[in-house]
Coordinates of all heavy atoms in Angstrom, one line a residue:
M1 N -72.4 82.3 83.3 CA -71.9 83.7 83.2 C -72.4 84.3 82.0 O -72.5 83.7 80.9 CB -70.3 83.6 83.2 CG -69.7 85.0 83.3 SD -67.9 84.8 83.6 CE -67.4 86.1 82.7
S2 N -72.7 85.5 82.1 CA -73.3 86.3 80.9 C -72.3 87.0 80.1 O -71.2 87.5 80.6 CB -74.3 87.5 81.4 OG -75.3 86.9 82.2
A3 N -72.5 87.0 78.8 CA -71.6 87.7 77.8 C -71.8 89.2 78.0 O -73.0 89.6 78.0 CB -71.8 87.3 76.5
R4 N -70.7 90.0 78.0 CA -70.7 91.4 78.2 C -70.8 92.1 76.9 O -70.0 91.9 76.0 CB -69.5 91.9 79.0 CG -69.4 91.3 80.4 CD -68.2 91.8 81.1 NE -67.0 91.9 80.4 CZ -66.2 90.9 80.2 NH1 -66.4 89.8 80.7 NH2 -65.0 91.0 79.5
V5 N -71.8 93.0 76.7 CA -72.0 93.6 75.4 C -71.9 95.1 75.6 O -72.4 95.8 76.5 CB -73.6 93.3 75.0 CG1 -73.9 94.0 73.6 CG2 -73.9 91.8 74.8
L6 N -71.1 95.7 74.6 CA -71.0 97.1 74.4 C -72.1 97.6 73.5 O -72.2 97.0 72.4 CB -69.6 97.4 73.9 CG -69.5 98.9 73.3 CD1 -69.7 99.9 74.3 CD2 -68.1 99.0 72.6
V7 N -72.8 98.6 73.9 CA -73.9 99.2 73.1 C -73.4 100.6 72.6 O -73.2 101.4 73.5 CB -75.2 99.2 73.8 CG1 -76.2 100.0 72.9 CG2 -75.7 97.9 74.2
V8 N -73.0 100.8 71.4 CA -72.6 102.1 70.8 C -73.8 102.8 70.3 O -74.6 102.2 69.5 CB -71.6 101.8 69.7 CG1 -71.0 103.2 69.2 CG2 -70.4 100.9 70.2
G9 N -74.0 104.0 70.8 CA -75.2 104.8 70.4 C -76.3 104.4 71.4 O -77.5 104.3 71.2
A10 N -75.9 104.2 72.6 CA -76.8 103.7 73.7 C -77.9 104.5 74.0 O -79.0 104.1 74.4 CB -76.0 103.3 75.1
C11 N -77.9 105.8 73.8 CA -79.0 106.7 74.1 C -79.8 107.0 72.9 O -80.9 107.7 73.0 CB -78.5 108.1 74.7 SG -77.8 107.8 76.3
G12 N -79.5 106.4 71.8 CA -80.4 106.6 70.6 C -81.6 105.6 70.6 O -81.6 104.8 71.5
R13 N -82.4 105.8 69.7 CA -83.7 104.9 69.6 C -83.4 103.4 69.6 O -83.8 102.7 70.4 CB -84.5 105.3 68.4 CG -85.8 104.6 68.2 CD -86.6 105.2 67.1 NE -85.8 105.3 65.9 CZ -85.7 104.5 64.8 NH1 -86.4 103.3 64.8 NH2 -84.9 104.7 63.8
M14 N -82.5 103.0 68.7 CA -82.1 101.6 68.7 C -81.2 101.3 69.8 O -81.4 100.1 70.4 CB -81.4 101.3 67.4 CG -82.3 101.4 66.2 SD -83.9 100.4 66.3 CE -83.2 98.8 66.3
G15 N -80.2 102.0 70.2 CA -79.4 101.7 71.4 C -80.3 101.5 72.6 O -80.0 100.6 73.4
E16 N -81.2 102.3 72.9 CA -82.1 102.1 74.1 C -82.9 100.7 73.9 O -83.0 100.0 75.0 CB -83.1 103.3 74.2 CG -82.5 104.6 74.7 CD -83.4 105.8 74.7 OE1 -84.5 105.6 74.2 OE2 -83.1 106.7 75.5
R17 N -83.3 100.4 72.8 CA -83.9 99.1 72.6 C -83.0 97.9 72.9 O -83.4 97.0 73.5 CB -84.6 99.0 71.3 CG -85.8 100.0 71.1 CD -86.6 99.7 69.9 NE -87.9 100.4 70.0 CZ -88.2 101.3 69.1 NH1 -87.5 101.4 68.1 NH2 -89.4 102.0 69.2
V18 N -81.8 98.0 72.4 CA -80.9 97.0 72.6 C -80.5 96.9 74.1 O -80.5 95.8 74.8 CB -79.6 97.2 71.8 CG1 -78.4 96.2 72.3 CG2 -79.8 97.2 70.3
C19 N -80.3 98.0 74.8 CA -80.1 98.0 76.2 C -81.3 97.3 77.0 O -81.1 96.5 77.9 CB -79.8 99.4 76.8 SG -78.2 100.1 76.3
A20 N -82.4 97.6 76.6 CA -83.7 97.1 77.2 C -83.7 95.6 77.0 O -84.1 94.8 77.9 CB -84.9 97.7 76.7
A21 N -83.4 95.1 75.8 CA -83.4 93.7 75.5 C -82.3 93.0 76.3 O -82.6 91.8 76.7 CB -83.1 93.5 73.9
L22 N -81.3 93.6 76.5 CA -80.2 92.9 77.4 C -80.6 92.8 78.8 O -80.3 91.7 79.4 CB -78.8 93.9 77.3 CG -78.1 93.9 76.0 CD1 -77.0 94.9 76.1 CD2 -77.6 92.6 75.5
E23 N -81.5 93.6 79.3 CA -81.9 93.5 80.7 C -82.7 92.2 80.8 O -82.8 91.6 81.9 CB -82.8 94.7 81.1 CG -82.1 95.9 81.3 CD -82.9 97.1 81.6 OE1 -84.0 96.9 82.1 OE2 -82.4 98.3 81.5
A24 N -83.5 91.9 79.7 CA -84.4 90.7 79.7 C -83.7 89.4 79.3 O -84.4 88.4 79.4 CB -85.6 91.0 78.8
H25 N -82.5 89.5 79.0 CA -81.8 88.3 78.5 C -80.8 87.7 79.5 O -80.0 88.5 80.0 CB -81.0 88.6 77.2 CG -80.8 87.5 76.4 ND1 -79.8 86.5 76.7 CD2 -81.3 87.2 75.2 CE1 -79.8 85.7 75.7 NE2 -80.8 86.0 74.8
K26 N -80.9 86.5 79.8 CA -80.1 85.9 80.9 C -78.6 85.6 80.4 O -77.8 85.6 81.2 CB -80.7 84.5 81.4 CG -82.0 84.8 82.1 CD -82.5 83.4 82.7 CE -83.9 83.5 83.2 NZ -84.3 84.5 84.2
A27 N -78.4 85.3 79.1 CA -77.1 85.0 78.7 C -76.3 86.2 78.2 O -75.1 86.1 77.8 CB -77.1 84.0 77.6
L28 N -76.9 87.4 78.3 CA -76.2 88.6 77.9 C -76.4 89.8 78.9 O -77.4 89.7 79.6 CB -76.8 89.2 76.5 CG -76.7 88.2 75.4 CD1 -77.5 88.7 74.1 CD2 -75.3 88.0 75.0
Q29 N -75.4 90.6 79.0 CA -75.5 91.8 80.0 C -74.9 92.9 79.3 O -73.9 92.8 78.6 CB -74.9 91.4 81.3 CG -73.5 91.3 81.4 CD -72.8 91.1 82.7 OE1 -73.3 90.3 83.4 NE2 -71.7 91.6 83.0
L30 N -75.4 94.1 79.8 CA -74.7 95.4 79.4 C -73.4 95.5 80.0 O -73.3 95.5 81.2 CB -75.6 96.5 79.6 CG -75.1 97.9 79.2 CD1 -75.0 98.0 77.7 CD2 -76.0 99.0 79.7
G31 N -72.3 95.5 79.3 CA -71.0 95.6 79.8 C -70.4 97.0 79.7 O -69.5 97.3 80.4
A32 N -70.8 97.7 78.7 CA -70.3 99.1 78.5 C -71.3 99.8 77.6 O -72.1 99.1 76.8 CB -69.0 99.0 77.9
A33 N -71.2 101.1 77.5 CA -72.1 101.9 76.7 C -71.4 103.2 76.2 O -70.8 103.7 77.0 CB -73.5 102.3 77.4
L34 N -71.6 103.5 75.0 CA -70.9 104.7 74.3 C -71.9 105.5 73.8 O -72.9 105.2 73.2 CB -70.0 104.2 73.3 CG -68.6 103.7 73.6 CD1 -67.9 103.3 72.4 CD2 -67.8 104.7 74.4
E35 N -71.5 106.9 73.8 CA -72.2 107.9 73.1 C -71.1 108.9 72.5 O -69.9 108.7 72.9 CB -73.2 108.7 73.9 CG -74.6 108.2 73.8 CD -75.2 108.2 72.4 OE1 -74.7 109.0 71.6 OE2 -76.2 107.5 72.2
A36 N -71.5 109.8 71.8 CA -70.5 110.7 71.2 C -70.0 111.7 72.3 O -70.6 112.1 73.2 CB -71.2 111.6 70.1
P37 N -68.7 112.1 72.1 CA -68.1 113.1 73.0 C -69.1 114.2 73.1 O -69.6 114.7 72.0 CB -66.8 113.4 72.4 CG -66.5 112.2 71.6 CD -67.8 111.7 71.0
G38 N -69.3 114.8 74.3 CA -70.2 116.0 74.5 C -71.6 115.6 74.6 O -72.4 116.5 74.8
H39 N -72.0 114.4 74.5 CA -73.3 114.0 74.7 C -73.8 114.3 76.1 O -73.1 114.1 77.0 CB -73.5 112.5 74.5 CG -75.0 112.2 74.4 ND1 -75.8 112.0 75.3 CD2 -75.8 111.8 73.2 CE1 -77.0 111.5 75.1 NE2 -76.9 111.5 73.7
P40 N -75.0 115.0 76.3 CA -75.4 115.4 77.5 C -75.6 114.3 78.6 O -75.6 114.6 79.8 CB -76.8 116.2 77.3 CG -77.3 115.7 76.0 CD -76.0 115.3 75.2
E41 N -75.8 113.1 78.3 CA -76.0 112.0 79.2 C -74.7 111.3 79.6 O -74.7 110.4 80.4 CB -76.9 110.9 78.5 CG -78.3 111.4 78.2 CD -79.2 111.6 79.4 OE1 -79.0 110.9 80.4 OE2 -80.0 112.5 79.3
L42 N -73.5 111.7 79.0 CA -72.3 111.1 79.5 C -72.1 111.1 81.0 O -72.4 112.2 81.6 CB -71.1 111.8 78.8 CG -70.8 111.7 77.3 CD1 -69.7 112.4 76.8 CD2 -70.7 110.2 76.9
G43 N -71.7 110.0 81.6 CA -71.4 109.9 83.0 C -72.7 109.3 83.7 O -72.6 109.0 84.9
R44 N -73.7 109.2 83.0 CA -75.0 108.6 83.6 C -74.8 107.1 83.8 O -74.3 106.4 83.0 CB -76.3 108.9 82.7 CG -77.6 108.3 83.3 CD -78.7 108.8 82.6 NE -78.8 108.4 81.2 CZ -79.7 107.4 80.7 NH1 -80.5 106.7 81.6 NH2 -79.7 107.2 79.5
K45 N -75.3 106.6 85.0 CA -75.2 105.1 85.2 C -76.3 104.5 84.4 O -77.5 104.8 84.6 CB -75.3 104.9 86.8 CG -75.2 103.4 87.1 CD -75.3 103.3 88.6 CE -75.3 101.8 88.9 NZ -75.4 101.5 90.4
L46 N -76.0 103.5 83.6 CA -77.0 102.7 82.9 C -77.3 101.3 83.4 O -78.4 100.8 83.2 CB -76.6 102.5 81.4 CG -76.4 103.9 80.6 CD1 -76.0 103.6 79.2 CD2 -77.7 104.7 80.7
A47 N -76.4 100.9 84.2 CA -76.6 99.5 84.8 C -75.5 99.3 85.9 O -74.6 100.2 86.0 CB -76.4 98.4 83.8
A48 N -75.7 98.4 86.6 CA -74.6 98.1 87.7 C -73.3 98.1 87.1 O -72.9 97.2 86.2 CB -74.9 96.8 88.4
G49 N -72.4 98.9 87.5 CA -71.0 99.0 86.9 C -70.9 99.5 85.5 O -69.7 99.5 85.0
V50 N -71.9 100.1 85.0 CA -71.8 100.7 83.6 C -72.3 102.1 83.6 O -73.3 102.5 83.9 CB -72.7 99.9 82.6 CG1 -72.7 100.5 81.3 CG2 -72.4 98.4 82.6
V51 N -71.3 103.0 83.2 CA -71.5 104.4 83.1 C -71.3 104.8 81.6 O -70.4 104.3 81.0 CB -70.5 105.1 84.0 CG1 -70.7 106.7 83.8 CG2 -70.8 104.8 85.5
L52 N -72.2 105.6 81.1 CA -72.2 106.0 79.7 C -70.9 106.8 79.5 O -70.6 107.8 80.1 CB -73.3 106.8 79.4 CG -73.5 107.3 77.9 CD1 -73.7 106.1 77.0 CD2 -74.8 108.2 77.8
G53 N -70.1 106.3 78.6 CA -68.9 107.0 78.2 C -68.7 107.3 76.7 O -69.6 107.1 75.9
A54 N -67.5 107.9 76.4 CA -67.2 108.3 75.1 C -65.9 107.7 74.6 O -65.4 108.1 73.4 CB -67.2 109.9 75.0
D55 N -65.3 106.9 75.3 CA -64.0 106.3 74.9 C -64.1 104.8 74.4 O -64.3 104.0 75.2 CB -63.1 106.3 76.1 CG -61.6 105.7 75.9 OD1 -61.4 105.2 74.8 OD2 -60.8 105.8 76.8
P56 N -64.0 104.7 73.1 CA -64.3 103.3 72.5 C -63.2 102.3 73.0 O -63.6 101.2 73.3 CB -64.0 103.6 71.1 CG -64.3 105.0 70.7 CD -63.8 105.7 72.0
A57 N -61.9 102.6 73.2 CA -60.9 101.7 73.7 C -61.2 101.2 75.0 O -61.2 100.0 75.4 CB -59.6 102.3 73.6
A58 N -61.6 102.1 75.9 CA -62.0 101.7 77.3 C -63.3 100.8 77.3 O -63.3 99.8 78.0 CB -62.1 102.9 78.2
A59 N -64.3 101.2 76.5 CA -65.5 100.4 76.6 C -65.4 99.1 75.9 O -65.9 98.2 76.5 CB -66.5 101.3 75.7
L60 N -64.6 99.0 74.9 CA -64.3 97.6 74.3 C -63.5 96.7 75.1 O -63.7 95.6 75.2 CB -63.6 97.8 72.9 CG -64.4 98.3 71.8 CD1 -63.6 98.9 70.6 CD2 -65.4 97.2 71.2
A61 N -62.7 97.3 76.0 CA -62.0 96.5 77.0 C -62.9 95.8 78.0 O -62.5 94.9 78.7 CB -60.9 97.3 77.7
S62 N -64.1 96.3 78.1 CA -65.1 95.8 79.0 C -66.2 94.9 78.4 O -67.1 94.5 79.0 CB -65.8 96.9 79.9 OG -64.9 97.6 80.5
A63 N -65.9 94.6 77.1 CA -67.0 93.8 76.4 C -66.4 92.7 75.6 O -65.2 92.5 75.3 CB -67.6 94.9 75.4
E64 N -67.3 91.7 75.4 CA -67.0 90.6 74.5 C -67.5 90.6 73.2 O -67.2 90.0 72.2 CB -67.5 89.3 75.2 CG -66.9 89.0 76.6 CD -67.5 87.9 77.4 OE1 -67.2 86.9 77.1 OE2 -68.3 88.4 78.2
V65 N -68.5 91.5 72.9 CA -69.0 91.9 71.6 C -69.6 93.2 71.7 O -70.0 93.8 72.7 CB -70.2 90.9 71.3 CG1 -71.4 90.9 72.2 CG2 -70.6 90.9 69.8
A66 N -69.7 93.9 70.5 CA -70.2 95.3 70.4 C -71.4 95.3 69.4 O -71.4 94.6 68.4 CB -69.2 96.3 70.0
V67 N -72.5 96.1 69.8 CA -73.6 96.2 69.0 C -73.6 97.8 68.7 O -73.6 98.5 69.6 CB -74.9 95.8 69.6 CG1 -76.1 96.2 68.8 CG2 -74.8 94.3 70.0
V68 N -73.5 98.1 67.4 CA -73.2 99.5 67.0 C -74.4 100.0 66.2 O -74.7 99.6 65.1 CB -71.9 99.5 66.1 CG1 -71.6 101.0 65.8 CG2 -70.8 98.9 66.8
F69 N -75.0 101.1 66.7 CA -76.0 101.9 66.0 C -75.5 103.4 66.2 O -75.8 104.0 67.3 CB -77.4 101.8 66.6 CG -78.1 100.5 66.2 CD1 -78.0 99.4 67.0 CD2 -78.7 100.4 65.1 CE1 -78.6 98.1 66.7 CE2 -79.4 99.2 64.6 CZ -79.4 98.0 65.5
A70 N -74.7 103.8 65.3 CA -74.2 105.1 65.4 C -74.0 105.8 64.0 O -74.4 105.2 63.0 CB -72.7 105.0 66.0
T71 N -73.4 106.9 63.9 CA -73.1 107.5 62.6 C -72.1 106.6 61.8 O -71.3 106.0 62.4 CB -72.5 108.9 62.7 OG1 -71.2 108.8 63.4 CG2 -73.5 109.8 63.5
P72 N -72.0 106.7 60.5 CA -71.0 105.8 59.8 C -69.6 106.2 60.3 O -68.8 105.2 60.5 CB -71.2 106.2 58.4 CG -72.6 106.6 58.2 CD -72.9 107.3 59.5
D73 N -69.2 107.4 60.5 CA -67.8 107.7 61.0 C -67.6 107.2 62.3 O -66.5 106.6 62.7 CB -67.6 109.2 61.0 CG -67.4 109.7 59.5 OD1 -67.1 109.0 58.6 OD2 -67.6 111.0 59.3
A74 N -68.6 107.3 63.3 CA -68.4 106.8 64.7 C -68.3 105.2 64.5 O -67.5 104.7 65.3 CB -69.5 107.2 65.6
T75 N -69.1 104.7 63.8 CA -69.1 103.2 63.6 C -67.6 102.8 63.1 O -67.1 101.7 63.7 CB -70.1 102.7 62.6 OG1 -71.5 103.2 63.1 CG2 -70.1 101.2 62.4
L76 N -67.1 103.3 62.2 CA -65.8 103.0 61.7 C -64.7 103.1 62.8 O -63.8 102.3 62.8 CB -65.4 103.8 60.4 CG -66.2 103.6 59.3 CD1 -65.7 104.4 58.1 CD2 -66.1 102.1 58.8
A77 N -64.8 104.2 63.6 CA -63.9 104.3 64.7 C -63.9 103.2 65.7 O -63.0 102.6 66.2 CB -64.1 105.7 65.4
V78 N -65.2 102.7 66.0 CA -65.4 101.7 66.9 C -64.9 100.4 66.4 O -64.3 99.6 66.9 CB -66.8 101.7 67.4 CG1 -67.2 100.4 68.2 CG2 -67.2 102.9 68.2
V79 N -65.3 100.1 65.1 CA -64.9 98.8 64.5 C -63.4 98.8 64.3 O -62.8 97.7 64.5 CB -65.7 98.8 63.1 CG1 -65.2 97.6 62.3 CG2 -67.2 98.6 63.3
G80 N -62.9 99.9 64.0 CA -61.4 99.9 63.9 C -60.6 99.4 65.2 O -59.8 98.6 65.2
E81 N -61.1 100.1 66.3 CA -60.6 99.7 67.6 C -61.0 98.3 68.0 O -60.2 97.6 68.6 CB -61.1 100.7 68.6 CG -60.6 100.5 70.1 CD -59.1 100.6 70.1 OE1 -58.5 101.5 69.5 OE2 -58.5 99.9 71.0
A82 N -62.1 97.9 67.7 CA -62.6 96.5 68.0 C -61.7 95.5 67.2 O -61.4 94.5 67.9 CB -64.1 96.3 67.5
A83 N -61.4 95.8 66.0 CA -60.4 94.9 65.3 C -59.0 94.9 66.0 O -58.5 93.8 66.2 CB -60.3 95.4 63.9
K84 N -58.6 95.9 66.6 CA -57.3 95.9 67.3 C -57.4 95.1 68.6 O -56.5 94.3 68.9 CB -56.9 97.3 67.8 CG -56.5 98.1 66.6 CD -56.1 99.6 67.1 CE -56.0 100.6 66.0 NZ -55.8 102.0 66.5
Q85 N -58.6 95.1 69.3 CA -58.8 94.4 70.5 C -59.4 93.0 70.3 O -59.5 92.2 71.3 CB -59.7 95.2 71.4 CG -59.0 96.5 71.9 CD -59.8 97.2 73.1 OE1 -60.4 96.5 73.9 NE2 -59.8 98.5 73.1
G86 N -59.8 92.7 69.1 CA -60.4 91.3 68.8 C -61.7 91.1 69.4 O -62.2 90.0 69.7
V87 N -62.6 92.3 69.3 CA -64.0 92.2 69.8 C -64.9 92.1 68.6 O -64.9 93.0 67.8 CB -64.3 93.5 70.7 CG1 -65.7 93.4 71.1 CG2 -63.3 93.5 71.9
P88 N -65.7 91.1 68.4 CA -66.7 91.0 67.3 C -67.6 92.1 67.4 O -68.0 92.6 68.5 CB -67.3 89.7 67.5 CG -66.4 88.9 68.4 CD -65.7 89.9 69.2
C89 N -68.2 92.6 66.3 CA -69.1 93.7 66.2 C -70.4 93.3 65.4 O -70.3 92.7 64.2 CB -68.5 94.9 65.4 SG -67.2 95.7 66.4
V90 N -71.5 93.6 65.8 CA -72.8 93.6 65.1 C -73.1 95.0 64.7 O -73.2 95.9 65.6 CB -73.9 93.0 66.0 CG1 -75.2 93.0 65.2 CG2 -73.6 91.6 66.5
I91 N -73.2 95.3 63.4 CA -73.3 96.7 63.0 C -74.8 96.9 62.3 O -75.2 96.3 61.5 CB -72.3 97.0 61.8 CG1 -70.9 96.9 62.4 CG2 -72.5 98.4 61.4 CD1 -69.8 97.0 61.2
G92 N -75.5 97.9 63.1 CA -76.9 98.1 62.6 C -76.9 99.5 62.0 O -77.9 99.9 61.4
T93 N -75.7 100.2 61.8 CA -75.6 101.4 61.2 C -75.8 101.3 59.7 O -75.4 100.4 59.1 CB -74.2 102.1 61.4 OG1 -73.9 102.1 62.8 CG2 -74.0 103.5 60.8
T94 N -76.5 102.3 59.1 CA -76.7 102.4 57.6 C -76.0 103.6 57.1 O -75.6 104.5 57.8 CB -78.1 102.3 57.3 OG1 -78.8 103.6 57.8 CG2 -78.9 101.2 57.8
G95 N -76.0 103.7 55.7 CA -75.6 104.9 55.0 C -74.0 104.9 54.8 O -73.5 106.0 54.6
F96 N -73.4 103.8 54.7 CA -72.0 103.8 54.4 C -71.7 104.0 52.9 O -72.4 103.5 52.2 CB -71.3 102.4 54.7 CG -71.4 102.1 56.2 CD1 -72.3 101.2 56.8 CD2 -70.5 102.8 57.1 CE1 -72.3 100.9 58.2 CE2 -70.5 102.5 58.5 CZ -71.5 101.7 59.0
G97 N -70.7 104.7 52.6 CA -70.1 104.9 51.3 C -69.3 103.7 51.0 O -68.9 102.8 51.8
G98 N -68.8 103.7 49.7 CA -67.9 102.6 49.2 C -66.7 102.5 50.0 O -66.2 101.3 50.3
E99 N -66.0 103.5 50.3 CA -64.8 103.4 51.0 C -65.0 103.0 52.5 O -64.2 102.2 52.9 CB -64.0 104.8 51.0 CG -62.5 104.8 51.3 CD -61.9 106.2 51.1 OE1 -62.0 106.7 49.8 OE2 -61.3 106.6 52.0
Q100 N -66.0 103.5 53.0 CA -66.4 103.0 54.4 C -66.7 101.6 54.5 O -66.3 100.8 55.3 CB -67.6 103.8 54.9 CG -67.2 105.2 55.1 CD -68.4 106.1 55.4 OE1 -69.5 106.0 54.7 NE2 -68.3 107.1 56.3
R101 N -67.5 101.1 53.4 CA -67.7 99.6 53.4 C -66.4 98.8 53.3 O -66.3 97.8 53.9 CB -68.7 99.3 52.2 CG -70.1 99.7 52.5 CD -71.0 99.1 51.5 NE -70.8 99.6 50.2 CZ -71.4 100.7 49.7 NH1 -72.1 101.5 50.4 NH2 -71.1 101.2 48.4
R102 N -65.5 99.3 52.5 CA -64.2 98.6 52.3 C -63.5 98.6 53.7 O -62.8 97.6 54.0 CB -63.3 99.2 51.2 CG -63.9 98.8 49.8 CD -62.9 99.3 48.7 NE -62.9 100.8 48.6 CZ -63.9 101.5 48.0 NH1 -64.9 100.8 47.4 NH2 -63.7 102.7 47.8
A103 N -63.6 99.6 54.5 CA -62.9 99.6 55.8 C -63.5 98.6 56.6 O -62.8 97.9 57.5 CB -63.0 101.0 56.4
I104 N -64.8 98.4 56.6 CA -65.5 97.4 57.4 C -65.1 96.0 56.9 O -64.8 95.2 57.8 CB -67.1 97.6 57.3 CG1 -67.5 98.8 58.1 CG2 -67.8 96.3 57.9 CD1 -68.9 99.3 57.9
E105 N -65.0 95.8 55.6 CA -64.5 94.6 55.0 C -63.1 94.2 55.6 O -62.8 93.1 55.9 CB -64.6 94.5 53.5 CG -66.0 94.5 53.1 CD -66.1 94.8 51.5 OE1 -65.0 95.1 50.9 OE2 -67.3 94.9 51.0
H106 N -62.3 95.2 55.6 CA -60.9 95.0 56.1 C -60.9 94.7 57.6 O -60.2 93.7 58.0 CB -60.1 96.5 55.9 CG -58.7 96.3 56.4 ND1 -57.7 95.7 55.8 CD2 -58.1 96.9 57.6 CE1 -56.6 95.7 56.5 NE2 -56.8 96.4 57.6
A107 N -61.7 95.3 58.4 CA -61.9 94.9 59.8 C -62.4 93.4 59.9 O -62.1 92.7 60.8 CB -62.8 95.8 60.5
A108 N -63.3 93.1 59.0 CA -64.0 91.8 59.1 C -62.9 90.6 58.8 O -63.2 89.5 59.0 CB -65.1 91.7 58.1
A109 N -61.8 91.0 58.2 CA -60.7 90.0 58.0 C -60.1 89.7 59.3 O -59.4 88.6 59.4 CB -59.7 90.5 57.0
R110 N -60.2 90.5 60.3 CA -59.6 90.3 61.6 C -60.6 89.8 62.8 O -60.2 89.2 63.8 CB -58.9 91.6 62.0 CG -57.8 91.9 61.0 CD -57.2 93.3 61.3 NE -56.6 93.4 62.7 CZ -56.1 94.5 63.2 NH1 -56.3 95.6 62.6 NH2 -55.5 94.5 64.4
I111 N -61.9 90.3 62.6 CA -62.9 90.0 63.6 C -64.2 89.7 63.0 O -64.5 90.0 61.8 CB -63.1 91.2 64.7 CG1 -63.6 92.4 63.8 CG2 -62.0 91.5 65.5 CD1 -64.1 93.5 64.7
P112 N -65.0 88.9 63.6 CA -66.5 88.7 63.0 C -67.2 89.9 63.1 O -67.2 90.7 64.0 CB -67.0 87.7 64.0 CG -65.9 87.0 64.7 CD -64.9 88.1 64.8
V113 N -67.8 90.3 61.9 CA -68.6 91.5 61.7 C -69.9 91.0 61.2 O -69.9 90.3 60.2 CB -67.9 92.6 60.8 CG1 -68.8 93.7 60.6 CG2 -66.6 93.1 61.5

């Protein structure tokens, strides 16, 4: 059985690459995909059973791990919800300030980050 991966920022440059890599990997599969509310691609089917959405809580419920390439604020929102749901996160986002890094450290006390 393949591990289900949530890709946050799925339509961005890095998100598209992560999605493509998942297609080629037997032990991993795209389980959910997120973009910002209002993104023009919302609702697009990205894989069997996966439609691009904007609800982090719903997307995390369909995933065993999240890979995040988003804005710092969007990343914090996803990581905060992931900590509530117990979903580990791989964060590729850059540009965090000190307070934002502390929020990630706080989440890392509850989930692997």
Side-chain angles (χ1 to χ4, degrees):
M1 186 166 145
S2 300
R4 296 178 323 272
V5 179
L6 162 61
V7 178
V8 182
C11 291
R13 183 174 44 100
M14 293 305 297
E16 286 180 342
R17 289 195 171 122
V18 172
C19 289
L22 292 173
E23 288 179 19
H25 204 288
K26 293 184 189 312
L28 302 170
Q29 70 179 38
L30 184 63
L34 278 179
E35 267 301 340
H39 192 280
E41 297 289 328
L42 289 178
R44 181 170 64 106
K45 182 179 178 181
L46 297 183
V50 179
V51 174
L52 185 65
D55 180 355
L60 285 159
S62 299
E64 296 169 81
V65 65
V67 177
V68 186
F69 284 96
T71 64
D73 288 338
T75 298
L76 291 179
V78 170
V79 170
E81 182 61 33
K84 290 178 190 174
Q85 293 192 32
V87 178
C89 291
V90 177
I91 301 173
T93 304
T94 60
F96 294 107
E99 199 170 306
Q100 292 169 319
R101 284 191 297 275
R102 283 188 290 283
I104 292 169
E105 290 168 3
H106 179 73
R110 299 173 62 192
I111 57 169
V113 174

